[in-house]
Amino acid sequence: MVTASRVQLTVLRGRDDEWQPVRSLLDGVTGGGGALLLHGEPGSGRTALVGYAHRYAEDCTVLAATGLAEESALPYAGLQRLLDPVLHRAAALPDEHGWLLRRALAGESCPADRQLTLSMAVLGLLAAAARDRPLLATMDDVDRGDPQTAQVLAFVARRLRHLPVAVLLTADVAVTVDGIPAHRLRPLSARDSVAVLIDRLPERPAASVLTALAVTGGGNPQALVDLAEVLSPAQWRGEEALPAAPPADGALGRAYRARLDRLPPDTRRVLLLAALDEAGEPGTLIRAAKTAGIEFEALAPAELAGLVRVEPQGVTFPQPLVRTMIAASAPLAERRPAHRLLAGVLGADGQRLRRAMHLAAATAGADPALAAELEEAAAGGVGGWAAASAALRWAAELSDHPAQTAARLLAAARYAWAGGQPDVARLLLDRLRSVSTDPVVRGRADLLRGELELRCGVASGASATLLTAATAVAGTDRALALSGLVRAGEAVCFAGDQYRYAEVGRRALTLRRPTDPPAMELMGCLVAGVAATLRGDHERAGPALRRAVVLGGRLTGSALTPTALTRAAAAGLVVAVDGAAHRLAERAVGLARERGELSVLSRALELRAVAEYWLGRHEAAAETSRDGLRVARASGQINCASVHLGMLAVLAAIRADRDTSLRHLREIGESPTPGSRPHALAGWALAVLDLIDGRHAEAADRLASLARLGTGRGQVLVQVMATPYLVEAAAHLAHRPAATAALAVFDRWASSTASPLRRALSARCHALLAPRGGAEAERDFQTALRLHPTEAGTFERARTELLFGQELRRSRRPRDARTHLHQAREMFSLLGVACWAEQATTELRAAGESVGPPDLPAARLLTGQQLRIAELVAEGATNREIAARMFLSTRTVDHHLRNVFHRLGIRSRTELARAFATERHVGLTSDR
């Protein structure tokens, strides 16, 4: 028995939701007791929460015990350990109750017809013990001990309402107790998993190591602790391969072995087969079990224990780590025969890769024939890139020739990267260095290494790696060398070293041939076009880039890849054919998803978002960037993630959503190198916020610093995109040399394109820099409005209307100004950009017109999907119910609902319901 105090509570990572019911139970114990069952998988932190309860209980007497499997056959053994500190209080019980209680706890059992009396005796003893101060009784792992103790405690726990007694029980995830509130412990989030690891490691490991370990740990706190304890210094530095599973001899491994030991031998054998066969097909397991002389029904005890689910479509493991721990806990002498058994029942056709993988797991030493079989079965990522990479790793292990080992390691690294596993790819490339000294093989490996640096590492060094590697392979594979140069060009642009693109262009020119196939010609045209654009030679750039776009649309067969389509889309954006660029990027996204190529999906989404920005589809661009951010983070592409965050910050700033923009900028942090693309996007976003707040000099300075014109340093392409904002800020300043120079660059580019939007923006910029009140400014504004496309770019047209209205009002022409300001106000209201609509309203008032909020019905202010969500909310549906009815995720519903609130200028669901009731009354809702 201990007396608890609330001081010095140990931090439990990611358990805020679990603390609350424990606290609620204890906070209310003086006014009437209660009970709580915490259940979860082994290692989920049940015992830690019991310890937390002991420390939190203030002014409570604490009785604590743990269910022990060794005592499960001894009736009331757990109850005896729990009650022993207060057994002297039994003197206060009625004689019969005291006698029966002492008899049961002394090991003399209790007749079945006296069970109720015994249970009432235990309840009375706890009440007597709680007479002076409240009492907390905890039984950890109640399901592991004797069942008689569990039955009595369940009886007591249901009868505490009028007593100052709290009972806290913990049990396995599959256990429930009727009449007792239960709370299931959920897996830790990725962030909390990382925090647990940092708490346990001697130094903060590389971010990639933390991410990989968090995934391996599956959100299980004990798994994470066990992993941290077995890591070598080289592993936590990311220099050696990380464990594929928590250690079998760790605390979690021992807990699972204890669970498995309670199952019949045949059940354990079938369970191991199910764990090793990740496909989970019932037919395969039934055949394997039959071959082993076991009935498939032997799996039933494991299903009752909550370890597996057996359904018509397959056998699944509901708890993430169960499969891993079952396999890890089995001795090698049991795993290898099980793998051979599974290989024997799998066919050589549709199940070729699975069969070969099982054979490899059952093989010791070199086996060239099996290595070749694995290589052929995994070719092209059949069965998924991760599985194909694993197969090639096995093939490398089984090879008996260094050249084959190197080739298979390189293929395994490529497959791992395609599947979004950059850390696995890096480790395989490091291993390859010790296997092969062939300069061509190393060159091929460095091309992949350079791409990993560009997407996931220090991008400033990627271009040098790629240029060197392209030279190494140019003599044997021109196409691969040219692909490396395209990547090198992308790297110098990302890092802000555009002056180095000239060298990329010169090298690419030496590799081009008149007879090149379309995919190679596309790469050559892209490099030539971008190089010409960066040196201001738009007459040469335009035809080359347009040719690349055309070739992208003609790709077929093996040449039709997500990578080739992204290159064509990039060419389209540089030459300002936004519709074609969007179609190419959209096709790249679809193909990458279809093939599971996570390595290129984030880049394809980035290009689609930029195309949507130019097409005036800002909401779509933001959704695309959010999708790209999720993909980039899931695949370890930190540089791509920063670009998506930068784009989201810009889009939020343009909508005057300061909080969202700054939140995205905080997520980027200080990691981007000055001059890099994420750094420039962050500067653009901050400049737009400055502009909205009237800090024109600060906005102009930020935007002018994005690139140093004439030097090839900085983000020239980002500055070109941001030039309209630079000119708008500079229009309020006396000295405008930076804006004038940037506009000259923008003009040369815009005039070389066939884009009405670019030319409209150019005209608007000239109007802003023209003498105020003069004919030149009016003429340029009129030109801009005439050029603005009607099918896209509504936001930019509204901005032009607003700026023109401002110019006319300040030139003492309020009547003319009001026409344009009304147009701007209505368009901004339809777009849901409240800040800009308010600016237009302010200008209208300054022009002598009395205006209120825009009188537009929801049907005009909202998109079709937003309107349907709003209607369902007005009817009283929850977000979860809306998601189910509309086949959306709750996150998507949340996102749309925030936009609905913003566009309608309301703050709550109640206001929304009231607004729709009013609209129905006056007949303004949509007639869809």
Side-chain angles (χ1 to χ4, degrees):
M1 180 174 67
V2 298
T3 299
S5 172
R6 224 180 257 198
V7 299
Q8 295 183 343
L9 297 181
T10 301
V11 173
L12 298 180
R13 299 289 187 183
R15 287 297 179 227
D16 291 353
D17 290 346
E18 284 73 15
W19 291 349
Q20 190 54 50
V22 173
R23 286 175 170 173
S24 297
L25 173 70
L26 296 173
D27 287 342
V29 69
T30 55
L36 177 66
L37 171 66
L38 297 174
H39 57 152
E41 62 183 282
S44 58
R46 299 175 313 205
T47 301
L49 281 164
V50 169
Y52 174 85
H54 291 168
R55 293 187 296 273
Y56 184 81
E58 185 177 25
D59 298 328
C60 282
T61 298
V62 176
L63 302 178
T66 300
L68 302 175
E70 293 84 352
E71 296 183 356
S72 60
L74 303 177
Y76 307 110
L79 198 62
Q80 186 275 329
R81 283 184 285 105
L82 179 70
L83 299 180
D84 185 65
V86 295
L87 195 56
H88 63 279
R89 299 270 190 166
L93 300 177
D95 292 343
E96 182 183 8
H97 285 194
W99 173 80
L100 187 60
L101 178 62
R102 291 189 183 90
R103 184 174 185 273
L105 298 185
E108 297 182 27
S109 188
C110 176
D113 60 351
R114 307 298 298 278
Q115 291 290 330
L116 177 61
T117 305
L118 175 62
S119 298
M120 291 299 296
V122 173
L123 182 62
L125 180 63
L126 293 179
R131 190 167 299 155
D132 300 327
R133 55 193 294 146
L135 183 141
L136 168 65
T138 66
M139 178 65 74
D140 197 12
D141 294 332
V142 67
D143 55 320
R144 295 191 64 197
D146 63 277
Q148 293 83 1
T149 291
Q151 290 169 5
V152 171
L153 289 177
F155 176 93
V156 169
R158 289 188 284 263
R159 291 165 173 80
L160 298 174
R161 187 171 56 179
H162 300 297
L163 297 175
V165 176
V167 171
L168 179 62
L169 308 175
T170 76
D172 187 67
V173 67
V175 174
T176 59
V177 181
D178 290 341
I180 299 179
H183 186 95
R184 179 169 180 173
L185 275 62
R186 55 181 174 73
L188 298 180
S189 67
R191 174 180 291 183
D192 291 323
S193 295
V194 166
V196 170
L197 291 165
I198 291 173
D199 288 343
R200 292 281 175 166
L201 293 172
E203 296 180 26
R204 186 182 179 95
S208 59
V209 171
L210 290 171
T211 301
L213 290 174
V215 171
T216 303
N220 185 290
Q222 189 61 57
L224 296 165
V225 171
D226 291 350
L227 284 165
E229 289 178 350
V230 299
L231 285 188
S232 68
Q235 285 176 318
W236 58 256
R237 287 195 301 267
E239 298 169 357
E240 291 182 0
L242 296 171
D249 57 351
L252 186 63
R254 293 193 298 273
Y256 270 104
R257 278 201 304 276
R259 290 184 76 185
L260 295 173
D261 288 344
R262 296 198 291 271
L263 298 174
D266 283 354
T267 300
R268 293 200 299 271
R269 292 183 67 189
V270 181
L271 196 58
L272 178 59
L273 290 171
L276 295 177
D277 185 48
E278 295 191 6
E281 296 174 356
T284 301
L285 287 176
I286 290 170
R287 292 195 302 273
K290 185 176 181 181
T291 302
I294 308 171
E295 294 295 329
F296 183 71
E297 288 72 15
L299 203 56
E303 189 174 14
L304 290 174
L307 293 170
V308 292
R309 290 194 189 115
V310 181
E311 299 167 337
Q313 62 269 30
V315 176
T316 59
F317 290 81
Q319 301 162 48
L321 276 174
V322 172
R323 180 194 296 275
T324 301
M325 296 311 301
I326 289 171
S329 301
L332 184 64
E334 293 180 8
R335 288 201 306 272
R336 280 184 172 167
H339 278 297
R340 280 194 290 270
L341 198 61
L342 288 164
V345 300
L346 289 170
D349 298 326
Q351 300 166 324
R352 182 182 182 186
L353 180 59
R354 286 170 57 201
R355 180 176 181 275
M357 291 284 284
H358 283 302
L359 287 173
T363 302
D367 189 331
L370 181 55
E373 171 69 7
L374 282 163
E375 186 175 29
E376 291 177 15
V382 173
W385 297 108
S389 177
L392 267 293
R393 293 200 295 275
W394 276 115
E397 293 283 350
L398 298 170
S399 302
D400 61 352
H401 193 283
Q404 290 179 326
T405 300
R408 287 162 179 165
L409 284 173
L410 180 55
R414 283 202 307 270
Y415 289 167
W417 170 228
Q421 298 178 307
D423 298 315
V424 174
R426 282 196 196 95
L427 290 169
L428 289 167
L429 293 175
D430 290 343
R431 186 177 162 205
L432 189 148
R433 280 177 173 166
S434 64
V435 172
S436 175
T437 57
D438 185 330
V440 175
V441 173
R442 288 200 164 189
R444 290 172 177 265
D446 283 343
L447 284 175
L448 180 53
R449 193 184 305 278
E451 185 177 352
L452 291 169
E453 290 174 2
L454 170 60
R455 306 289 185 219
C456 316
V458 182
S460 58
S463 59
T465 302
L466 289 162
L467 286 170
T468 302
T471 301
V473 303
T476 57
D477 194 331
R478 259 189 330 112
L480 188 60
L482 194 53
S483 178
L485 291 175
V486 172
R487 288 267 187 262
E490 189 181 337
V492 299
C493 289
F494 181 92
D497 299 328
Q498 278 92 340
Y499 69 94
R500 299 179 61 188
Y501 206 103
E503 175 63 19
V504 176
R506 285 191 294 270
R507 294 195 189 193
L509 185 61
T510 65
L511 294 175
R512 298 181 67 181
R513 304 288 185 272
T515 57
D516 281 341
M520 283 189 68
E521 186 185 354
L522 190 161
M523 289 189 287
C525 288
L526 172 62
V527 173
V530 173
T533 297
L534 292 174
R535 65 174 182 265
D537 187 357
H538 297 292
E539 290 185 0
R540 293 179 183 272
L545 293 168
R546 291 188 189 93
R547 176 63 179 166
V549 173
V550 170
L551 289 168
R554 294 177 180 175
L555 295 172
T556 58
S558 60
L560 180 59
T561 65
T563 298
L565 289 169
T566 60
R567 289 165 177 166
L573 289 172
V574 177
V575 80
V577 285
D578 305 320
H582 186 266
R583 288 190 294 273
L584 289 163
E586 179 70 20
R587 197 175 181 193
V589 168
L591 196 57
R593 289 194 197 280
E594 179 185 323
R595 298 183 180 185
E597 291 188 39
L598 297 182
S599 57
V600 71
L601 179 55
S602 181
R603 171 64 173 165
L605 287 164
E606 175 192 332
L607 295 169
R608 190 176 80 179
V610 175
E612 287 164 343
Y613 167 82
W614 281 116
L615 290 168
R617 305 172 191 170
H618 290 182
E619 283 194 28
E623 186 59 39
T624 295
S625 291
R626 282 189 287 269
D627 192 5
L629 178 60
R630 287 190 290 269
V631 172
R633 284 175 167 168
S635 55
Q637 300 184 56
I638 56 174
N639 294 329
C640 290
S642 293
V643 170
H644 284 295
L645 285 169
M647 194 68 190
L648 284 167
V650 169
L651 291 165
I654 288 171
R655 295 178 63 86
D657 186 349
R658 170 180 294 278
D659 292 342
T660 299
S661 183
L662 293 178
R663 175 168 55 81
H664 290 311
L665 294 178
R666 285 193 296 271
E667 289 183 74
I668 295 176
E670 299 179 0
S671 55
T673 306
S676 66
R677 187 173 300 142
H679 190 267
L681 290 169
W684 182 8
L686 289 171
V688 173
L689 294 177
D690 285 336
L691 180 62
I692 291 169
D693 291 341
R695 295 190 294 271
H696 303 111
E698 291 87 342
D701 287 344
R702 286 188 195 277
L703 294 169
S705 69
L706 298 184
R708 284 170 278 175
L709 298 178
T711 67
R713 296 180 184 274
Q715 290 295 321
V716 176
L717 299 179
V718 175
Q719 191 181 63
V720 166
M721 291 179 70
T723 293
Y725 292 92
L726 170 56
V727 170
E728 185 177 342
H732 295 268
L733 307 176
H735 300 286
R736 311 163 177 173
T740 303
L743 181 55
V745 172
F746 187 91
D747 282 343
R748 287 195 295 272
W749 173 58
S751 62
S752 72
T753 73
S755 168
L757 174 61
R758 279 25 169 231
R759 297 186 180 194
L761 293 174
S762 174
R764 186 175 86 192
C765 289
H766 281 282
L768 289 169
L769 296 181
R772 177 154 293 168
E776 181 184 351
E778 183 171 358
R779 183 178 64 250
D780 287 335
F781 270 124
Q782 294 287 5
T783 300
L785 290 174
R786 187 175 66 254
L787 287 170
H788 271 299
T790 55
E791 74 284 358
T794 305
F795 177 79
E796 292 298 346
R797 182 181 184 88
R799 296 269 294 125
T800 300
E801 296 275 15
L802 173 60
L803 292 167
F804 192 13
Q806 289 175 340
E807 166 66 17
L808 291 170
R809 184 188 65 78
R810 292 167 188 173
S811 301
R812 302 181 184 278
R813 296 169 59 185
R815 180 177 298 177
D816 294 334
R818 288 197 289 268
T819 301
H820 298 286
L821 294 172
H822 273 297
Q823 287 288 333
R825 182 169 176 266
E826 182 169 344
M827 282 190 280
F828 285 138
S829 297
L830 287 168
L831 291 169
V833 216
C835 176
W836 295 110
E838 289 167 9
Q839 281 201 23
T841 300
T842 300
E843 288 290 333
L844 274 167
R845 288 179 181 140
E849 185 159 330
S850 178
V851 289
D855 186 19
L856 294 171
R860 290 184 64 191
L861 287 170
L862 305 180
T863 66
Q865 193 169 59
Q866 288 171 346
L867 183 61
R868 181 57 181 148
I869 289 171
E871 289 173 341
L872 290 171
V873 169
E875 292 169 8
T878 66
N879 287 10
R880 189 177 298 278
E881 290 168 344
I882 295 168
R885 290 175 67 174
M886 297 185 67
F887 302 99
L888 300 171
S889 69
T890 54
R891 178 181 295 177
T892 300
V893 173
D894 289 340
H895 170 69
H896 283 308
L897 194 53
R898 284 195 297 272
N899 286 335
V900 168
F901 284 3
H902 187 70
R903 289 189 170 195
L904 297 183
I906 59 179
R907 298 182 179 181
S908 69
R909 301 171 87 95
T910 302
E911 287 185 42
L912 181 61
R914 190 180 300 124
F916 268 72
T918 302
E919 288 207 352
R920 291 189 194 98
H921 180 69
V922 297
L924 293 177
T925 50
S926 63
D927 183 18
R928 288 175 292 107

